[in-house]
Amino acid sequence: MSRGNLSTAAWSSRLYSGAWLLYAGYYICRKDLGSVAGSAASHLAAELACFGVAYAIAQFVGGELADRFSARHVALAGAALSVLCTASLAIASPQMILLLQFGNGFGQGFGWPALLQLFGRWFGRGERDHVLGWWSTSYILGGFLASSLTMWLTVHTGLAARSGFEPAYLVVSAILLFAALFFYFETREMPKPRTAEGARQGFSASSGQGWRRVLGDRNIRYIAAMYFFLKMTRYTLLFWLPRYLVSSGGYTNWSAAHIASCFEILGIAGPIAVGYIVERWLMGRHMQLGAVMLYALAFVCLLHPLLAGSGTFGMVVSVSLMGMLIHGSDLLMSGMAVLDAVPSHIHGRSIGFVNGIGSIGQAISPLLATLFVARYGWNRLFDLFVFFAILSGIICTLGARSQTGKASPINRSALKLSNIPL
């Protein structure tokens, strides 16, 4: 069968498989790269902050480009830039590392708004949430693979010890390159879907109109505000959890890496469960579920010192529960809720705005971790997480109360017209 004769379901399947592998590759070039060269904590914090600033800027730019041009090309362009900068880190001088991390962060920032925009157009309400839940395994497993690959290259081969040359960067950039090529061929000649909003309106908002629509949406503002604190928490744990386990828990590097992996591997259950819960029982009430999950996260963080002090099993339970709640509420609010809140012609901008605000928190997280821990110690950091989770939960509660419970005319038509055959 020629590509021109492929059904909507076949193209959706190709998009899912290509996007899954592509974003897993994105994450492999993002997670734990600072540890390849054995960076000191202060230098690693500077690298992560530099990466985070560029990543935040790119979310806004990538969202705009995805709506106005081709989201598929935006995702591929971001991957190409990330591959180039990551591969260059293999031979980079210390003076060039921060610049390359900035470039890598900028390329990485194109991936999320572009791919979520494609999912918003190709999957309708009633199926999108559980599809995104399963797709989230791409970046969760990608982060775990990056950590494992880094450890294997560093511990077992000693490649990272060679002065002036870090082959690990070439390995991870080659993986992203392969993933980008797979995505390119899987989605080549993919037609534009006839989404409900696009079929009814027949236009794509200009830049000014689109951003006014995004900024004027109360739900988007609530989501962006809570996501600032949630993403700061998530990335602090994502990058610093192994160091915490070694410094405060007294674990070896090997044991710390295995315990920290539970944050991601067992965290997979969170987004998958959330996708089905929202579709089957809550009927799109993302704010309510988000508030419940964030209050539960605050309770787990409050209990963490007690669980961690009980031994390795308690530490694993605490880390795993935090992973499930954080990853679940993260995708629920920054992906599912945003796509349902606005029409498809501004999906990219809306996703970019929410994640851009959240990424500002991500950029702050390395400096927060180093300064806060230096002054108060690792255990007090979880008290800060309690505050962030409660604050995010309160914002979600306010957002839920502000909702009228009635779909807008655009969203009511989306419920009827989603998945129109090509």
Side-chain angles (χ1 to χ4, degrees), residues 68-89:
R68 290 183 60 81
F69 302 105
S70 167
R72 174 176 172 268
H73 290 157
V74 171
L76 288 169
L81 180 57
S82 183
V83 167
L84 178 63
C85 292
T86 303
S88 299
L89 284 168

Side-chain angles (χ1 to χ4, degrees), residues 209-229:
Q209 291 173 330
W211 284 111
R212 281 194 294 271
R213 176 69 174 83
V214 171
L215 297 174
D217 191 286
R218 181 181 297 177
N219 289 330
I220 296 297
R221 296 198 300 269
Y222 276 121
I223 296 169
M226 62 76 55
Y227 197 52
F228 174 85
F229 298 102

